[in-house]
Amino acid sequence: MSLGRVVSRTLPVTLPTLLLISCSGSPSDSPILTAESALHLAEHLDAAVIEGSELPAEAPEPIRWSFDVAQPDWIAFSVAESRNPLQGTRTDDALRLILTDDDRSAAVEPFRVAGIYTDFPGLLPLVPAHVLIRARTESAGLMAVVLDELGGDDSRGTAGLLQQVSPPSPMIADGSVQSYLLPLDTRGTSGDACCRFGVVAATREPGSVDILSVSVVSGEVAFAGDSLGVMTVVDGSREHRRALFTHTPGRLGFTVRVPPGGRLNVGLGVVRDDAPVDFRVTVTSKDQQEEESILEETLTDKAAWVQRSVDLSDFEGQTVTLALHADAEMPGTVALWATPIVSGSRHAGRPNVVFYIIDGGAAELMSVYGYNRRTTPNLERLAAEGAVFEQAYSNATWTDPSTPSFMTSLHTSVLASTDPLPEQAVTMAEHMHRGGYQTAVFTANPYAGTMNSLDRGVDVLRESWEEFTYAGGENHSASSAWLHEAFWEWREAYPAQPYWVHFQTVDSHWPWGSVAPFT
């Protein structure tokens, strides 16, 4: 597992740093933050007193191949054995992959799939990393990063490259040049496997995809554009968190009125193993001259978040300076504070909201709607205490357009495109987050998560795009158990209220194909 990856989402121009803050302010003129409900510190950087957090003197550079010149080390391939190697077509600024019906096989129906790959022995030391692809197409489809675990053994030909190591990203099919930032996930490889990696494109209809450039971006590059900010980061378990990042040495001070039973819940993370980061949380009250440390921890493992809950009850009712410190021997090292939330034992009296989708479930087979077998006894018990809607209409017959529609209350004809969701379309999670709710999404269908920008406004998102969604993974009908376990883990880490949560199970969904990115 690895940490420090930006969520893979189609990007119009550059890396998705969401907020840039200048270092300014003093404790005396800082606004007082209250925690009447969940107080998301990452949303109040404009109220913070910022010290340090300067960019490193030398930021790491990405490794880049540009196809406006010949790149003989890159080879085009098709999933159809009869088409290997595939002949790519050169344009003035790109390598063009032309996908025809000859690029289909039973394993990837109904898609046509082709790609490019190269040998790159220096790849694994760069993990965590991303692959940044600049491409253009007028063909609707998907793009993914693949890795050859054969370590140079050509006995299986280029078919061995179909070891997917990134979630698929929808391609924007308007003929414009777009940048796609995809995480490089090597958990499925043997560790010493090596070194051949590539990019694949899948289209539903015959068409072409122009690859302008491919860059391998180390984990730290994603944070090299701004001194601090907020970014969605995903660890190796595919848990996405909205994280506040700083560069060492750095200190963020917030003026907070501590609520009854006050606590700070936060995840700590680093992006490299060779540069330990010292995390510290301090409290300074008005009658104190010195900061009081209430948490001190040193992290060296980038494998996963370290979750901590800090007791603030000794300062109940007081207005204090709550400060987040990070330091390291190597100046500019990235420190991650995942979803830092201050909360109390009370909340604003607002209800918790659970939005539960049974993906592929049909009303005609549910006893709550009159089916003659008792298939939904739990829904019947809920219905007896609530309301049942007898008529409902979906905007589409499949997840990609329908989920963004009900998450934004907009018809698909208004959205025009869901790949990615337009920024002007505010999601349910964004509304709830702005209203002081903690927000989480647990989905076994990627079209209900990052693939459609439905991670926006979400504190924690856990999604699976292979374990349960695809026939080649685990028990297809067991996704709900996995999602429910993830929910209770989240509630243990962030017990404050109120909360909004979206579940999307695939227990009743028909199994998809055996090749992950393409069905």
Side-chain angles (χ1 to χ4, degrees):
M1 296 188 296
S2 56
L3 188 67
R5 303 174 186 166
V6 185
V7 161
S8 61
R9 195 163 80 200
T10 307
L11 305 174
V13 180
T14 186
L15 301 180
T17 301
L18 304 181
L19 189 58
L20 174 62
I21 305 296
S22 60
C23 300
S24 61
S26 64
S28 61
D29 57 19
S30 298
I32 298 174
L33 305 176
T34 59
E36 295 177 359
S37 56
L39 173 62
H40 295 78
L41 294 181
E43 309 306 319
H44 295 280
L45 287 180
D46 56 343
V49 176
I50 302 164
E51 299 175 11
S53 193
E54 297 180 0
L55 291 171
E58 296 183 5
E61 294 291 333
I63 300 169
R64 186 172 186 270
W65 295 267
S66 178
F67 293 95
D68 56 352
V69 297
Q71 296 288 349
D73 293 335
W74 283 83
I75 299 172
F77 71 95
S78 170
V79 296
E81 291 294 336
S82 61
R83 294 260 286 167
N84 282 322
L86 178 70
Q87 183 64 46
T89 301
R90 288 291 313 284
T91 69
D92 290 342
D93 61 352
L95 178 63
R96 175 168 295 169
L97 297 174
I98 300 175
L99 294 93
T100 71
D101 287 337
D102 291 335
D103 298 303
R104 300 171 68 171
S105 73
V108 295
E109 287 287 356
F111 287 89
R112 295 134 185 89
V113 183
I116 56 175
Y117 75 90
T118 189
D119 290 329
F120 184 26
L123 178 63
L124 289 185
L126 294 175
V127 174
H130 290 74
V131 178
L132 179 64
I133 306 143
R134 295 181 66 248
R136 65 171 169 256
T137 184
E138 295 183 356
S139 303
L142 304 171
M143 181 176 291
V145 176
V146 289
L147 184 69
D148 185 357
E149 195 174 355
L150 300 179
D153 178 2
D154 290 323
S155 60
R156 286 173 53 199
T158 51
L161 280 166
L162 290 180
Q163 172 72 33
Q164 183 187 348
V165 292
S166 79
S169 174
M171 295 187 296
I172 296 179
D174 62 2
S176 63
V177 175
Q178 297 289 331
S179 297
Y180 304 89
L181 189 67
L182 302 177
L184 188 60
D185 185 351
T186 60
R187 292 180 305 138
T189 67
S190 61
D192 56 353
C194 194
C195 14
R196 209 159 54 171
F197 89 104
V199 176
V200 292
T203 61
R204 288 185 175 270
E205 302 295 336
S208 65
V209 178
D210 291 348
I211 308 294
L212 282 74
S213 65
V214 175
S215 302
V216 176
V217 183
S218 69
E220 286 186 294
V221 171
F223 306 95
D226 297 312
S227 60
L228 75 159
V230 179
M231 188 179 291
T232 300
V233 179
V234 56
D235 72 1
S237 66
R238 298 196 183 102
E239 181 170 278
H240 306 245
R241 294 205 197 183
R242 192 169 170 79
L244 193 165
F245 71 88
T246 63
H247 296 268
T248 62
R251 176 188 181 277
L252 302 181
F254 300 87
T255 303
V256 177
R257 182 173 293 118
V258 180
R263 303 199 71 82
L264 167 68
N265 291 288
V266 62
L268 309 176
V270 295
V271 301
R272 52 190 300 170
D273 290 328
D274 59 347
V277 175
D278 298 320
F279 292 87
R280 191 161 61 100
V281 178
T282 64
V283 173
T284 308
S285 60
K286 287 186 176 180
D287 56 356
Q288 286 179 312
Q289 299 298 318
E290 296 183 358
E291 296 178 319
E292 178 181 341
S293 291
I294 56 176
L295 173 68
E296 295 184 5
E297 188 139 2
T298 299
L299 295 188
T300 59
D301 184 4
K302 65 176 184 289
W305 300 109
V306 172
Q307 188 65 35
R308 293 292 178 259
S309 182
V310 184
D311 187 1
L312 302 175
S313 59
D314 287 348
F315 306 94
E316 180 177 315
Q318 299 182 47
T319 298
V320 303
T321 298
L322 180 65
L324 311 179
H325 307 249
D327 201 0
E329 290 185 8
M330 186 182 301
T333 302
V334 176
L336 300 171
W337 304 85
T339 321
I341 292 177
V342 175
S343 62
S345 56
R346 304 173 188 169
H347 59 89
R350 288 171 289 177
N352 298 320
V353 178
V354 178
F355 196 75
Y356 203 105
I357 304 298
I358 303 173
D359 201 321
E364 61 188 11
L365 298 178
M366 295 182 181
S367 53
V368 70
Y369 284 105
Y371 184 57
N372 60 8
R373 293 175 57 192
R374 198 154 185 252
T375 53
T376 53
N378 292 324
L379 290 182
E380 290 173 46
R381 285 193 286 270
L382 286 172
E385 302 175 5
V388 177
F389 294 92
E390 298 290 346
Q391 293 181 322
Y393 300 92
S394 176
N395 268 315
T397 59
W398 66 300
T399 313
D400 185 14
S402 62
T403 303
S405 178
F406 62 65
M407 277 299 174
T408 60
S409 295
L410 296 172
H411 287 288
T412 52
S413 58
V414 174
L415 291 173
S417 172
T418 60
D419 300 333
L421 192 68
E423 291 291 338
Q424 298 88 337
V426 182
T427 68
M428 193 186 307
E430 288 177 299
H431 281 298
M432 302 303 285
H433 195 273
R434 293 170 185 175
Y437 275 71
Q438 295 182 103
T439 55
V441 173
F442 303 98
T443 176
N445 189 328
Y447 283 113
T450 56
M451 282 182 64
N452 271 331
S453 311
L454 293 175
D455 56 321
R456 293 191 338 221
V458 176
D459 293 324
V460 174
L461 180 146
R462 187 82 67 85
E463 69 178 357
S464 166
W465 45 269
E466 62 179 1
E467 283 91 341
F468 299 105
T469 310
Y470 301 99
E474 299 179 18
N475 184 357
H476 183 269
S477 64
S479 72
S480 58
W482 178 80
L483 298 177
H484 298 167
E485 182 181 354
F487 166 78
W488 290 115
E489 290 174 358
W490 171 63
R491 291 301 300 144
E492 182 178 359
Y494 293 93
Q497 299 187 59
Y499 63 80
W500 172 93
V501 59
H502 166 206
F503 288 94
Q504 189 120 351
T505 72
V506 294
D507 296 39
S508 57
H509 196 293
W510 67 85
W512 293 3
S514 59
V515 179
F518 310 125
T519 52

